[in-house]
Amino acid sequence: MSALAPPSSEPVVAVDRVTVRARSRTLLDGISIDFSARSLTAVVGPSGCGKTTFIRTLNRMVDLTPGLRVEGEVRYLGQNIYARGVNPVVVRRRMGMVFQRPTVFPISIFENAAFGLRLVRANEDEIDTAVTEALERAGLWEEVKANLDGPALSLSGGQQQRLCIARALAVRPRVLLLDEPTSALDPAATQRVESTLQRLKDDIVVILVTHNVGQAARVSDRVAFLHSGRLVEVGPTAEILERPREKLTEQFITGRFG
Amino acid sequence: MTPSLATPLEAIDDLRRDRTGHVWRRTALDRCVGWVLPLLFLVAIAPIADLVYWVGKQALPTFTWSVLTTNPSGAGGGLFAPLAGSLAILALATGVSVAFGFLGGLATAEYLSERAAGVVRIAANVMVGIPAIIVGLFGFLAFVRYFGWGSSLEAAAVTLGIFMTPYVYRATDLAYSSVPSHLREAAVGSGARPLQYLLRVATPIAFPQVLTGVFLAMAIGVGETAPIYPIIPSLVALPPLGLSQPVGALPLYIWEGFENGLILPTAIHRAFQAAFLLLVIVIGLNVLVRVIAARSRRRLEGLFQ
Amino acid sequence: MTPESVPRDGRDRQPLPLSERLLSGLARWWPYAPALIPVALTLAIVASLVGASALQNFGWGFFSFNVTKYGILIFVVGSFLTSLPALALAMLIGLGIAVASTTFLPGWLSSWLDPFVDLLAGIPSIIYGLWGFLIVAPFFGHDIFPWLAPLLSGIPGFHTAVNSPSKEGTGLALAIVILTLMILPITTLLMRDALRSVPRDLWESGLALGATRLEVASRVAIPYSKRGIWGAAFLGFGRAFGETVAVFMVISQVQRLPTNVYGGTSTMASLIISEINDNLSGTGLHYLAEIALVLLAITLAVNIAGRWMIRRTFTDVAGI
């Protein structure tokens, strides 16, 4: 087993019959799907279909919403992350997450990228290397290398979002979760984030939630379609977008709803 | 990909055994702090619970209707005069503070440019910070001496009113400033005159917030000793008879109980009863504020999305 | 030419009489005038104190520690000695409560506890004073100081020759404790609101990076709310510095500097309220007005500095 990625046959993340219930509603209903290394999966579906809940189930962010119950298993390299004795802090360190709007912290660009490493008391040399590498992988290095100590909030929206990606990458997660990362960005910034994502999937598992079918077509190699908390179908991007098996999928991608 | 962390990834792939990055210590610290910090609520609440309990315990056994209906006499008697005095001062002071504060806040929010409003707001914020005793001394110098009103209800009420003004002012300013600007555009666009907009659109939205500001100012004002003590330094045992007559007030009777209580036990009983009455009034006003605020929040929930 | 024979058209060209110009100006500007009320009242307060203080009689001689020659520095020092420690304590405890409420407690519990803290802000200071004098002071004097004083007596300012340094319990230490309790609700409330204004997804991105709740609070939320926390400090200081009645009731007032934390002293505000009744005119009143003027000057300076600083930190945060 390589130090960086397990054999691609074994899924990095296995979602096994996951059901998430709120007090009176079922948000996710018996979802099973595997995510293997070096893949970029787009999770698409109309708003309110449970996309965000789904992605938050993968790194135990659902723990933060009071009243949600999770049934079934989410296995990270074969280990159920919801098992007793598993610390969510440990889980989240392995699964980076990027949100709808850029969420840079009100500190310098460098310190933003170094945030996760400072938490684990990495030494200065490690931090320098990791920050540089993460900014390069996020495609931001050339733009900010002269101004690493400047305030992160002075960056443009697209740059801030790529800084958030770099911040997540700096702790070297195996999985990167993105929740509609371009919904607050203009087309040019969106395009840069998308090309960053395509490069990333060579190293890690990328799971991208989006309501934008075009984006899924541009960047993903697999599409999962969610509707009303159910996984309707999943398959290679070209197949799903051109010859969907299910009626609902076809209606969604041809723009009948959503 | 080059490894950037000293710990290779496969060493920490076991979720349960991972100890890298001091994660156990950090999590344990988080848990401990999570248990200890909430105990600080006790530091804030326990002393005051003791205070309220103790005032109640001292006041209630001797608290009868005659406390509310009879005037003080000597070191004993009831509290009718100071209660009536406090309410009279409060009513007039509220009038003064609303006249000053409401008009001022309205003008600032609706008429001034952002720049000018910024300057005036600083003045209002600074005025909130002026110690009560200084306002009291000002009232004594200006109204008792300079205007020659003497040690009177009117001098006390205007002084307390000035003390309360910045609170009403800020609440009004905030209330009218936070009316969404698209409502004004919509109103003016549909042909409303500025005054119509003010009365029919902005005021219904801002009013509950202004009202809570006024009640909060009253709750602060009614218990203050320092603004009225320099004006009415001697204890008055008669209910308010006229604007130019001196009056008693509840805080002044607590003060008196403190000063004479060790010699005259009846004075200290009276002080507790006055303290109890004040607590009831203050807590009552605060609860009222909360109820109004909660109701208006529900009513306007959709507006500030 | 008589005034009646002035031709009408000529009269139209003349400038309007002053009274009419004033009236039309008034009509145009009257809605703006009330906005100046806070400015006018503040200026009136300053003016009345300047007028009464008779700076011209005393000159600057009042900047001395000699009370018999109307020096006021003892009281200035006394005010800082009571309010600064109280502020430090109230900020620390208040920040703890604010973090507990926003970070650690479940929502339903903090929404029950928070209103209690808010309610405390409204309790009149004279009731704090009465309670402090009659209940807390004897408790401190009999039960706390006798065992605490020997433990602490190595610290400068805490040194005391006797085991029970203040039998009555009143003095500087009690004044600090009561002041802390009095300003704790306001500092807590402001810091809590500041922390609550941190966007939810900022909290979540901290947690998603593998931070614990405590780490997000200390590394993200508190830096983000710098502005509100500074505001809480300045407002809390203003409250403590100007507090009058409660301090007077528990400080065991004497007109000298305290020898240690258990000793009595005076603050500017407590001196004014205790002396005003006996000094309704003459030199005594000038003296009190002068103390009030210094108290006001410091309060205003701190307030304005606070506003300015808050604005600065805010622009720092916003990256403007």
Side-chain angles (χ1 to χ4, degrees):
Chain A
M1 190 159 127
S2 120
L4 296 167
S8 52
S9 57
E10 184 187 326
V12 179
V13 178
V15 179
D16 189 3
R17 282 164 298 167
V18 162
T19 296
V20 177
R21 289 183 220 280
R23 235 163 266 137
S24 55
R25 294 187 310 135
T26 302
L27 300 174
L28 292 179
D29 191 359
I31 293 194
S32 296
I33 182 173
D34 289 350
F35 298 94
S36 304
R38 303 198 178 82
S39 70
L40 197 163
T41 307
V43 179
V44 299
S47 39
C49 70
K51 289 175 302 202
T52 297
T53 309
F54 173 71
I55 203 171
R56 289 166 68 90
T57 311
L58 301 184
N59 65 345
R60 288 193 65 171
M61 292 302 274
V62 279
D63 292 12
L64 305 179
T65 316
L68 288 191
R69 279 173 300 131
V70 180
E71 295 157 24
E73 291 189 351
V74 175
R75 283 189 297 270
Y76 171 81
L77 299 177
Q79 310 159 79
N80 182 10
I81 64 168
Y82 286 96
R84 282 181 69 88
V86 172
N87 185 345
V89 170
V90 172
V91 173
R92 290 178 194 141
R93 201 178 135 195
R94 290 164 175 73
M95 312 227 195
M97 191 169 209
V98 176
F99 295 77
Q100 289 193 13
R101 281 176 307 153
T103 56
V104 297
F105 302 140
I107 44 184
S108 73
I109 294 170
F110 183 89
E111 285 304 319
N112 259 281
F115 189 87
L117 297 157
R118 293 242 186 265
L119 294 175
V120 300
R121 322 268 203 282
N123 68 41
E124 291 299 325
D125 290 343
E126 285 166 8
I127 291 179
D128 274 345
T129 336
V131 164
T132 313
E133 183 206 300
L135 287 170
E136 273 168 357
R137 291 171 72 197
L140 192 62
W141 176 249
E142 290 302 321
E143 291 159 64
V144 299
K145 67 180 176 190
N147 189 27
L148 286 176
D149 292 327
L153 283 159
S154 64
L155 297 174
S156 72
Q159 288 174 323
Q160 288 191 17
Q161 194 61 301
R162 276 178 287 142
L163 179 57
C164 290
I165 294 175
R167 186 175 66 186
L169 292 175
V171 288
R172 293 205 314 147
R174 279 200 198 285
V175 183
L176 185 63
L177 312 169
L178 302 110
D179 187 1
E180 308 206 11
T182 59
S183 62
L185 302 184
D186 62 55
T190 299
Q191 195 262 320
R192 303 206 62 164
V193 170
E194 285 178 359
S195 61
T196 300
L197 294 183
Q198 280 182 305
R199 266 181 287 119
L200 287 177
K201 73 171 178 199
D202 296 337
D203 299 323
I204 57 177
V205 178
V206 182
I207 304 174
L208 167 73
V209 159
T210 178
H211 64 266
N212 179 341
V213 178
Q215 183 166 61
R218 286 192 296 273
V219 299
S220 71
D221 32 47
R222 199 168 62 136
V223 168
F225 176 61
L226 269 145
H227 186 260
S228 304
R230 287 170 188 276
L231 181 63
V232 177
E233 64 180 308
V234 57
T237 302
E239 201 174 295
I240 294 281
L241 295 187
E242 281 157 29
R243 299 182 299 281
R245 291 183 296 269
E246 302 287 332
K247 190 89 182 144
L248 269 174
T249 319
E250 189 197 329
Q251 286 176 339
F252 178 72
I253 59 182
T254 52
R256 301 273 173 81
F257 66 93
Chain B
M1 188 170 105
T2 46
S4 315
L5 272 174
T7 324
L9 263 179
E10 73 267 33
I12 52 172
D13 267 344
D14 186 338
L15 294 179
R16 283 212 182 95
R17 296 235 176 89
D18 181 14
R19 289 167 187 244
T20 55
H22 309 274
V23 67
W24 285 22
R25 201 201 299 169
R26 287 164 49 217
T27 310
L29 181 68
D30 180 72
R31 292 250 167 83
C32 289
V33 172
W35 278 106
V36 172
L37 273 193
L39 296 180
L40 287 178
F41 266 104
L42 286 179
V43 177
I45 293 176
I48 312 306
D50 180 67
L51 182 156
V52 173
Y53 164 78
W54 173 80
V55 169
K57 197 179 101 180
Q58 299 288 326
L60 280 177
T62 52
F63 204 92
T64 56
W65 274 114
S66 67
V67 172
L68 295 179
T69 52
T70 57
N71 282 331
S73 62
L79 286 166
F80 174 72
L83 178 61
S86 264
L87 294 181
I89 295 175
L90 183 65
L92 292 172
T94 306
V96 170
S97 68
V98 169
F100 283 168
F102 179 76
L103 287 181
L106 186 67
T108 306
E110 293 290 325
Y111 293 106
L112 286 196
S113 67
E114 262 316 298
R115 217 186 152 81
V119 174
V120 181
R121 277 176 195 141
I122 289 179
N125 283 325
V126 163
M127 205 182 154
V128 170
I130 295 180
I133 182 66
I134 288 189
V135 180
L137 196 58
F138 162 73
F140 170 73
L141 292 169
F143 305 124
V144 177
R145 279 170 54 109
Y146 187 78
F147 290 128
W149 297 356
S151 175
S152 61
L153 169 60
E154 53 191 354
V158 173
T159 308
L160 191 64
I162 289 174
F163 177 75
M164 289 158 61
T165 295
Y167 296 96
V168 179
Y169 175 94
R170 292 205 308 180
T172 311
D173 178 21
L174 201 67
Y176 280 93
S177 300
S178 61
V179 174
S181 62
H182 60 84
L183 287 185
R184 173 197 288 274
E185 286 146 23
V188 173
S190 51
R193 280 176 289 120
L195 196 62
Q196 282 178 321
Y197 159 77
L198 204 61
L199 293 178
R200 302 248 177 97
V201 181
T203 302
I205 294 171
F207 190 68
Q209 210 182 336
V210 175
L211 205 61
T212 55
V214 172
F215 281 132
L216 267 182
M218 290 169 75
I220 295 167
V222 70
E224 279 290 348
T225 317
I228 50 176
Y229 180 72
I231 291 164
I232 314 177
S234 54
L235 217 54
V236 179
L238 291 175
L241 297 170
L243 282 178
S244 55
Q245 301 294 314
V247 287
L250 289 174
L252 300 180
Y253 273 77
I254 306 178
W255 179 258
E256 199 261 351
F258 161 73
E259 296 222 296
N260 301 331
L262 297 180
I263 320 159
L264 302 166
T266 44
I268 215 154
H269 275 131
R270 211 168 54 186
F272 287 128
Q273 285 156 353
F276 179 72
L277 279 178
L278 260 188
L279 269 183
V280 169
I281 295 172
V282 167
I283 293 177
L285 282 169
N286 270 291
V287 170
L288 193 64
V289 163
R290 249 156 253 291
V291 171
I292 299 174
R295 280 185 50 175
S296 71
R297 231 192 339 268
R298 271 203 300 279
R299 195 163 62 88
L300 299 173
E301 217 159 344
L303 197 58
F304 297 101
Q305 289 302 316
Chain C
M1 194 191 277
T2 57
E4 289 84 39
S5 64
V6 174
R8 261 169 199 277
D9 56 332
R11 197 166 137 188
D12 284 350
R13 253 180 262 120
Q14 276 178 347
L16 285 168
L18 183 67
S19 60
E20 267 182 53
R21 266 189 296 161
L22 273 180
L23 266 181
S24 77
L26 203 63
R28 225 173 63 217
W29 289 100
W30 74 266
Y32 298 88
L36 293 175
I37 286 171
V39 182
L41 289 176
T42 308
L43 290 179
I45 290 172
V46 174
S48 78
L49 292 182
V50 171
S53 68
L55 270 174
Q56 59 273 29
N57 293 358
F58 295 152
W60 295 95
F62 62 88
F63 275 105
S64 92
F65 283 96
N66 190 342
V67 181
T68 53
K69 292 201 171 139
Y70 297 108
I72 66 162
L73 283 189
I74 285 175
F75 314 119
V76 179
V77 173
S79 289
F80 279 107
L81 277 181
T82 48
S83 53
L84 283 181
L87 178 68
L89 287 172
M91 286 299 287
L92 277 178
I93 302 171
L95 187 62
I97 298 176
V99 169
S101 166
T102 52
T103 313
F104 290 108
L105 288 181
W108 61 269
L109 191 54
S110 52
S111 67
W112 265 99
L113 287 173
D114 291 344
F116 275 100
V117 177
D118 302 358
L119 198 61
L120 307 184
I123 292 183
S125 60
I126 191 152
I127 299 184
Y128 274 100
L130 192 67
W131 173 73
F133 179 67
L134 289 174
I135 295 292
V136 189
F139 174 63
F140 273 31
H142 290 120
D143 302 325
I144 303 285
F145 290 161
W147 65 265
L148 196 66
L151 286 180
L152 299 176
S153 72
I155 307 168
F158 288 78
H159 178 74
T160 162
V162 284
N163 271 351
S164 183
S166 161
K167 274 230 155 48
E168 297 79 26
T170 52
L172 183 57
L174 183 64
I176 291 171
V177 170
I178 297 291
L179 268 182
T180 304
L181 291 177
M182 289 181 71
I183 64 171
L184 185 55
I186 189 84
T187 56
T188 305
L189 186 152
L190 290 171
M191 286 192 276
R192 193 184 66 215
D193 285 355
L195 288 176
R196 198 146 280 160
S197 71
V198 176
R200 200 185 145 77
D201 45 8
L202 221 56
W203 282 99
E204 293 193 341
S205 13
L207 294 171
L209 283 165
T212 62
R213 297 168 298 176
L214 181 63
E215 286 163 343
V216 179
S218 61
R219 288 162 187 245
V220 179
I222 291 176
Y224 187 90
S225 347
K226 247 192 310 190
R227 175 179 180 240
I229 292 172
W230 275 112
F234 280 104
L235 243 118
F237 178 78
R239 285 278 168 98
F241 201 72
E243 179 47 49
T244 309
V245 192
V247 170
F248 173 64
M249 290 164 96
V250 299
I251 205 172
S252 124
Q253 179 151 306
V254 283
Q255 298 188 14
R256 55 178 152 78
L257 291 174
T259 45
N260 57 32
V261 292
Y262 310 103
T265 183
S266 307
T267 68
M268 289 184 271
S270 75
L271 188 86
I272 296 171
I273 199 155
S274 62
E275 296 292 315
I276 181 75
N277 207 352
D278 305 326
N279 295 282
L280 293 177
S281 61
T283 316
L285 185 61
H286 294 324
Y287 182 46
L288 292 185
E290 220 154 54
I291 295 173
L293 196 59
V294 174
L295 172 60
L296 180 64
I298 297 175
T299 319
L300 291 187
V302 168
N303 253 302
I304 292 169
R307 302 279 154 202
W308 180 76
M309 195 149 176
I310 291 164
R311 180 162 289 184
R312 250 176 63 96
T313 46
F314 178 63
T315 51
D316 284 354
V317 169
I320 299 164

